Amino acid sequence: MSRAAEVIIHLSAIKKNLNVAKLAAPNASAYAIIKADGYGHGILSTAYALRYADGFGVASIDEAIQLRAANIHKPILLLEGVFDKSELVEALQHNLEIVIHHKWQIDALQELAIKLNNNGSTNKQTKFNIWLKLDTGMNRLGFSPKDIYSAWNSLKNLPVVQSIKLMTHLANADNTADNCTEDQLIRFESATQNINTLKSIANSAGVLAWPQTHADIIRPGIMLYGASPIIKTSASDFELTPAMTLRTKLISVKELKKGSPVGYGGDWVAPNDTKLGVAAIGYGDGYPRHAHSGTPVLVGGKRTQIVGRVSMDMVCVDLGKLPDAKIGDDVVLWGEGLPVEEVAQHAGTISYELFCGITKRVRRIEQQ
Ligand SMILES: *Cc1c(COP(=O)(O)O)cnc(C)c1O
């Protein structure tokens, strides 16, 4: 028999969560962000569940080509643009939209424009829809406010450019008490006020907590998978439905004497006589090794907690308060009935990382 660890993907939840985003920003269009294999939910099934989005955002041309090969004809945006000038031609062939965040990418476009001109081809398939990226304070990708206008001008006159949108990315929108988002917005508006085009600012946190960032196009990611993007809140606060349930089964249940150490290093010592369960899941499946004793789990639908260090294939759970628990009982690590945000917090990480970390050996089950 194979291992019991499995991940359930609730496709209807993803579809519903897109609707939550659209209702929150009714005047904007929505590019659904499905990078990193749809945040670990499976890129193709996620794209299908999100078929009412206006477009998709991915992190690499490989992901985009995978979508095109599956007959997805919607706009697809490469969120970091091309990584190499050779990818530009490929991006054109697959009709991909590209972010331009750095001067070398403009130079590469100019070079391509000259090349295509020499070939005498100027039809529509040789033109890009571009998202010009402004750095408004995250200091990661993008042109500085002082350079944005000249970047816009050099792109505008290129024969390979069909349209140019403007975008920026929010650094601290998950914290509603932080002024950074407002500062970024002010910088964005002042740097782009003389440029009349479509604008895009909001990630999930912007969509849900900062209506002034909605602009023309929103770019929701994590909220589509049913996790809250805002710190100290849960998905249910925003009527989001968890789209991933990670679960397994108990493979051992036994009595444990007070004072017995549990697991590698004996980090946790039973404070009383208790019952100990072993669940067939570990960091080899993507359950975080940093989840410490006290991280919540559901056994047979009832809440308890893990104890001791997480092993590669197993984790121990305290069954002291669940006297009826038995071998074969379902154990939910996160998802339905147990918010992933809570688990992430106990593991010193974020829901994004937990979603992306599910490994290949975990059986995937898609449900409508
Ligand atoms: C990943 C990403 C998003 C989505 O962010 P979430 O926090 O998951 O909503 C939006 N825009 C860009 C540029 C991104 O890279």
Side-chain angles (χ1 to χ4, degrees):
M1 210 175 129
S2 63
R3 299 177 71 252
E6 56 191 23
V7 65
I8 319 292
I9 308 297
H10 312 278
L11 294 171
S12 59
I14 298 177
K15 190 175 169 194
K16 262 198 261 176
N17 294 331
L18 174 63
N19 225 27
V20 173
K22 287 187 159 203
L23 286 171
N27 299 319
S29 23
Y31 270 51
I33 307 303
I34 55 174
K35 60 196 182 197
D37 199 25
Y39 290 47
H41 292 67
I43 193 166
L44 292 182
S45 28
T46 299
Y48 183 71
L50 293 168
R51 62 195 175 280
Y52 299 114
D54 300 290
F56 294 112
V58 297
S60 74
I61 202 160
D62 304 350
E63 292 173 322
I65 290 173
Q66 204 185 340
L67 293 171
R68 288 285 185 250
N71 273 320
I72 290 168
H73 302 298
K74 295 235 156 149
I76 300 175
L77 172 63
L78 300 181
L79 291 164
E80 285 122 65
V82 294
F83 298 133
D84 184 280
K85 66 182 177 190
S86 67
E87 285 184 356
L88 278 176
V89 176
E90 238 182 326
L92 269 183
Q93 282 164 354
H94 294 281
N95 192 20
L96 307 179
E97 304 189 353
I98 53 174
V99 166
I100 296 282
H101 62 78
H102 198 280
K103 187 164 177 314
W104 80 258
Q105 294 175 319
I106 299 186
D107 297 342
L109 270 181
Q110 275 163 343
E111 224 177 276
L112 180 70
I114 293 167
K115 224 197 260 167
L116 290 177
N117 189 40
N118 291 345
N119 293 348
S121 55
T122 50
N123 60 21
K124 195 150 178 261
Q125 283 79 12
T126 60
K127 287 178 187 271
F128 284 101
N129 292 313
I130 282 171
W131 296 50
L132 180 58
K133 186 161 187 171
L134 176 64
D135 179 5
T136 53
M138 185 156 185
N139 293 311
R140 196 177 58 179
L141 292 185
F143 291 87
S144 70
K146 75 172 172 35
D147 296 331
I148 197 76
Y149 206 73
S150 75
W152 166 271
N153 267 322
S154 6
L155 288 170
K156 197 178 61 175
N157 298 320
L158 283 181
V160 283
V161 172
Q162 174 84 19
S163 72
I164 313 173
K165 300 178 184 69
L166 284 165
M167 72 178 291
T168 192
H169 195 48
L170 299 172
N172 288 23
D174 58 331
N175 182 350
T176 52
D178 191 322
N179 300 336
C180 175
T181 300
E182 267 152 5
D183 293 345
Q184 285 194 265
L185 196 58
I186 289 167
R187 265 179 234 133
F188 186 77
E189 278 168 359
S190 86
T192 64
Q193 62 189 345
N194 295 325
I195 305 179
N196 181 19
T197 187
L198 296 177
K199 296 173 185 172
S200 175
I201 305 167
N203 53 5
S204 298
V207 170
L208 292 174
W210 305 89
Q212 62 275 50
T213 65
H214 290 172
D216 300 299
I217 306 170
I218 55 170
R219 306 188 309 270
I222 193 74
M223 68 178 292
L224 303 174
Y225 309 99
S228 170
I230 311 291
I231 53 172
K232 300 196 188 101
T233 68
S234 230
S236 57
D237 297 330
F238 301 101
E239 315 220 337
L240 296 169
T241 311
M244 177 191 286
T245 298
L246 180 63
R247 72 180 183 201
T248 187
K249 290 189 188 305
L250 288 182
I251 58 168
S252 160
V253 174
K254 62 184 181 190
E255 302 300 323
L256 189 70
K257 285 279 174 228
K258 175 178 175 173
S260 313
V262 168
Y264 288 117
D267 276 7
W268 187 82
V269 177
N272 307 100
D273 287 356
T274 187
K275 231 165 79 166
L276 188 83
V278 180
I281 196 144
Y283 61 80
D285 303 293
Y287 187 74
R289 186 173 171 280
H290 291 289
H292 53 71
S293 295
T295 304
V297 294
L298 304 179
V299 175
K302 300 205 183 83
R303 222 175 144 100
T304 179
Q305 55 189 41
I306 70 163
V307 292
R309 285 190 204 157
V310 175
S311 311
M312 187 183 286
D313 311 315
M314 287 175 271
V315 63
C316 296
V317 298
D318 186 3
L319 300 175
K321 296 202 175 90
L322 304 175
D324 301 332
K326 56 186 187 312
I327 291 174
D329 279 1
D330 273 334
V331 180
V332 169
L333 290 313
W334 63 71
E336 270 180 318
L338 181 58
V340 65
E341 297 89 339
E342 223 181 296
V343 178
Q345 207 172 2
H346 277 88
T349 183
I350 52 177
S351 55
Y352 302 68
E353 191 185 16
L354 296 183
F355 287 160
C356 292
I358 301 295
T359 62
K360 270 206 307 249
R361 77 176 184 185
V362 178
R363 188 169 40 247
R364 292 174 47 87
I365 299 171
E366 291 180 355
Q367 283 177 0
Q368 277 315 307

